[in-house]
C-alpha cells in the first residue's frame, strides 16, 4: 500500500511539476516540498490550537504574540503578551531565542486570524507555535461578544441534508504561480509567499461570510452557483452519526447544505488523495465546527494559489439553532469562558 501510494504521488507530481513558461511555475513543486517535509497540514498536529486552560499555567514561560489592533490590546490583554502586527510575526520570531519558551502562542480576538497566521508560520518552519483556541473570547468574558453574536443559522438552513455528494474527478490542474526569480529554490519561494500572505489585507481575503454563501445559493436548484463549499471536519459535522451523551432524549448531529462536499482533514488534501479534485477557476469556501480549523487549510491552499476562504465562525454561524449546537462541546458556550485575569 505504501509503495502504491508513493507511486501515485510521484506520478501526479511528474505530471504537474512542469513550469507553464519561463518565470512561472504551478504549485506542484510546493506540494512536493510540503508533503516531504513533515506534511503538517495532513498530520495530527493540525490544527495547532491550545486552550486558555492549557496556557494559563505556563504564561510566564511562553512567548505570547497578540495580533489584535493597538486599541483592543490596550483595552485588555494577557500579562506578558507582546502586541505585534501580523506582518511582523516572522521577524519577531526570528529575532527571539525560541528555545527560552515552552510554547509560542498567537492570540487574536476570536482565534480566526491567529489560526490563519499559525498555519502559515508552521508551514514557514516554526514548529512550537499555537493559536489560542477561541482567542480572547474564551480567556475573558469582556471579549466574548463576537462569538456570542455570531451564533445563528444560515438563511437556507432549511435545505440542510445528510446526502453525501461525490467529489469531482481528479483533474491534475493546479494554480499557476508567478515567480520573480525562476532560479529561486522551492523553500525560498514558499517562504516569500508566506510572508506576502501574512498581512491584514491577505487575511481579509481568506475570510468568507455566511452572507456570501446565502447570496450564492440558488434556491430553485438548491445548490451553489459560482462557488464550491467544503465541509472540513470529523465526519459527524457532515453526517448524522453522533449522539449527545448528555441529552435526553438523545439528539443527533450532522447535516449540510445541498451540494456541499466533504473532505477529511487527515488525508483528503494529499496530492495522492483528493487535493487535485479542487477547482482552480472559482472560489472555494471551507467551514469547520467553529472556523478555526478551516483557517489552517485555507492558509495552506492560498499558498498553493487557490482562491480559498474560511467561512467565518464556521458551523456556529450556519446551523447553531437548527442543530442544537449549544449542546456541543465544539461550540462556543458561556460556561467555558475562563475569566482569567487581564492587564491594560
Amino acid at each position: 500500500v505504501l509503495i502504491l501510494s508513493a507511486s501515485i504521488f510521484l506520478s501526479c507530481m511528474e505530471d504537474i511539476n512542469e513550469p507553464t513558461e519561463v518565470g512561472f511555475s504551478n504549485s506542484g513543486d510546493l506540494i512536493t516540498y510540503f508533503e516531504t517535509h513533515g506534511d503538517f497540514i495532513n498530520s495530527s498536529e493540525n490544527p495547532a490550537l491550545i486552550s486558555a486552560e492549557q496556557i494559563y499555567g505556563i504564561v510566564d514561560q511562553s512567548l505570547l504574540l497578540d495580533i489584535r489592533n493597538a486599541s483592543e490590546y490596550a483595552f485588555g490583554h494577557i500579562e506578558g503578551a507582546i502586541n505585534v502586527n501580523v506582518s511582523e510575526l516572522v521577524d519577531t520570531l526570528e529575532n527571539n531565542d525560541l528555545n527560552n519558551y515552552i510554547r509560542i502562542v498567537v492570540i487574536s480576538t476570536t482565534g480566526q486570524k491567529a489560526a490563519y497566521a499559525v498555519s502559515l508560520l508552521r508551514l514557514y518552519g516554526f514548529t512550537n507555535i499555537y493559536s489560542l483556541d477561541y482567542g480572547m473570547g474564551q480567556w475573558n468574558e469582556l471579549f466574548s461578544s463576537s462569538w456570542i453574536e455570531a451564533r445563528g443559522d444560515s438563511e437556507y438552513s432549511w435545505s440542510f441534508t445528510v446526502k453525501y455528494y461525490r467529489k469531482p474527478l481528479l483533474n491534475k490542474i493546479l494554480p499557476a504561480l508567478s515567480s520573480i526569480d525562476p532560479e529561486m529554490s522551492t523553500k525560498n519561494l514558499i517562504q516569500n509567499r508566506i510572508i506576502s500572505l501574512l498581512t491584514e489585507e491577505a487575511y481579509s481575503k481568506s475570510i468568507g461570510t455566511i452572507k456570501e454563501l446565502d447570496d450564492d445559493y440558488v434556491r430553485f436548484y438548491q445548490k451553489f452557483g459560482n462557488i464550491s463549499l467544503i465541509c472540513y471536519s470529523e465526519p459527524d459535522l457532515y453526517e448524522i452519526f453522533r449522539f449527545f451523551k448528555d441529552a435526553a432524549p438523545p439528539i443527533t448531529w450532522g447535516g449540510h447544505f445541498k451540494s456541499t462536499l466533504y473532505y477529511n482533514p487527515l488525508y483528503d488534501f494529499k496530492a495522492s488523495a483528493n487535493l487535485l479534485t479542487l477547482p482552480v477557476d472559482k472560489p472555494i469556501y471551507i467551514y469547520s465546527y467553529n472556523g478555526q480549523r478551516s483557517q489552517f487549510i485555507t492558509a495552506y491552499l492560498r499558498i498553493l494559489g487557490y482562491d480559498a476562504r474560511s467561512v467565518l465562525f464556521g458551523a456556529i454561524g450556519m446551523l447553531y439553532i437548527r442543530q442544537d449546537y449549544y449542546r456541543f462541546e465544539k461550540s462556543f458556550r458561556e460556561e467555558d469562558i475562563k475569566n482569567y485575569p487581564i492587564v491594560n
Side-chain angles (χ1 to χ4, degrees):
V1 172
L2 290 175
I3 294 173
L4 178 59
S5 297
S7 175
I8 293 172
F9 173 76
L10 292 174
S11 66
C12 287
M13 292 302 100
E14 287 173 1
D15 288 342
I16 63 182
N17 271 355
E18 290 300 320
T20 54
E21 57 180 276
V22 175
F24 288 83
S25 173
N26 63 31
S27 50
D29 297 322
L30 280 63
I31 296 168
T32 303
Y33 183 91
F34 283 130
E35 294 199 6
T36 56
H37 288 75
D39 198 15
F40 162 73
I41 214 68
N42 295 302
S43 74
S44 59
E45 290 291 313
N46 175 30
L49 299 171
I50 190 166
S51 69
E53 190 172 15
Q54 286 175 304
I55 197 64
Y56 181 62
I58 56 171
V59 162
D60 58 345
Q61 302 170 69
S62 303
L63 177 60
L64 307 180
L65 303 175
D66 192 322
I67 58 173
R68 296 176 298 156
N69 64 45
S71 61
E72 291 175 309
Y73 175 83
F75 179 74
H77 56 269
I78 302 171
E79 186 172 7
I82 303 168
N83 191 210
V84 299
N85 188 281
V86 67
S87 62
E88 301 169 334
L89 284 169
V90 170
D91 285 343
T92 300
L93 292 169
E94 289 183 336
N95 291 325
N96 270 276
D97 185 354
L98 303 183
N99 294 320
N100 293 330
Y101 305 101
I102 294 179
R103 292 285 184 271
I104 303 123
V105 182
V106 181
I107 303 162
S108 61
T109 303
T110 65
Q112 317 276 303
K113 186 195 295 187
Y116 170 83
V118 167
S119 181
L120 293 173
L121 293 169
R122 284 268 181 160
L123 295 166
Y124 190 92
F126 299 105
T127 56
N128 188 26
I129 189 163
Y130 299 84
S131 171
L132 180 61
D133 200 12
Y134 293 105
M136 290 298 291
Q138 196 167 81
W139 186 270
N140 190 286
E141 64 183 352
L142 292 176
F143 309 97
S144 63
S145 60
S146 294
W147 276 109
I148 292 171
E149 293 168 6
R151 300 182 300 194
D153 282 359
S154 161
E155 177 183 349
Y156 295 108
S157 62
W158 54 266
S159 73
F160 271 55
T161 180
V162 293
K163 178 182 177 180
Y164 183 85
Y165 293 89
R166 292 183 180 275
K167 300 176 182 67
L169 298 175
L170 293 172
N171 54 37
K172 294 190 178 181
I173 299 174
L174 288 170
L177 303 176
S178 175
S179 173
I180 297 174
D181 180 3
E183 302 301 319
M184 183 183 296
S185 70
T186 302
K187 180 178 180 179
N188 286 340
L189 173 59
I190 287 171
Q191 292 185 337
N192 284 356
R193 286 189 61 77
I194 289 173
I195 289 172
S196 73
L197 290 169
L198 278 169
T199 67
E200 294 291 343
E201 180 182 3
Y203 168 68
S204 68
K205 292 179 180 178
S206 77
I207 288 293
T209 65
I210 303 300
K211 185 180 186 306
E212 290 168 349
L213 293 179
D214 287 347
D215 287 347
D216 194 74
Y217 197 67
V218 183
R219 179 168 180 164
F220 181 78
Y221 295 103
Q222 295 191 19
K223 66 178 183 179
F224 294 95
N226 301 305
I227 68 171
S228 176
L229 180 63
I230 288 174
C231 176
Y232 176 72
S233 68
E234 290 83 356
D236 56 3
L237 182 59
Y238 189 77
E239 302 167 337
I240 292 182
F241 282 129
R242 184 184 179 90
F243 289 85
F244 291 100
K245 54 183 176 293
D246 60 344
I251 297 173
T252 56
W253 173 261
H256 47 272
F257 279 116
K258 292 184 177 179
S259 79
T260 300
L261 303 175
Y262 175 72
Y263 283 70
N264 190 292
L266 293 180
Y267 54 79
D268 266 328
F269 283 101
K270 289 180 176 289
S272 58
N274 290 302
L275 177 64
L276 301 185
T277 64
L278 296 177
V280 298
D281 57 350
K282 60 182 178 180
I284 304 166
Y285 284 69
I286 306 171
Y287 74 94
S288 56
Y289 289 102
N290 50 45
Q292 295 180 98
R293 185 171 203 161
S294 54
Q295 271 293 3
F296 278 85
I297 189 62
T298 293
Y300 175 68
L301 293 178
R302 293 190 75 84
I303 296 174
L304 303 183
Y306 289 98
D307 183 7
R309 308 173 193 185
S310 174
V311 179
L312 190 62
F313 300 114
I316 284 180
M318 296 171 66
L319 45 83
Y320 183 83
I321 299 169
R322 181 178 177 84
Q323 297 286 9
D324 289 317
Y325 203 27
Y326 68 93
R327 295 177 180 269
F328 194 41
E329 58 266 28
K330 291 187 179 177
S331 180
F332 184 85
R333 304 180 297 186
E334 281 87 341
E335 59 264 35
D336 296 328
I337 300 172
K338 300 304 178 184
N339 279 322
Y340 290 144
I342 58 171
V343 297
N344 48 30

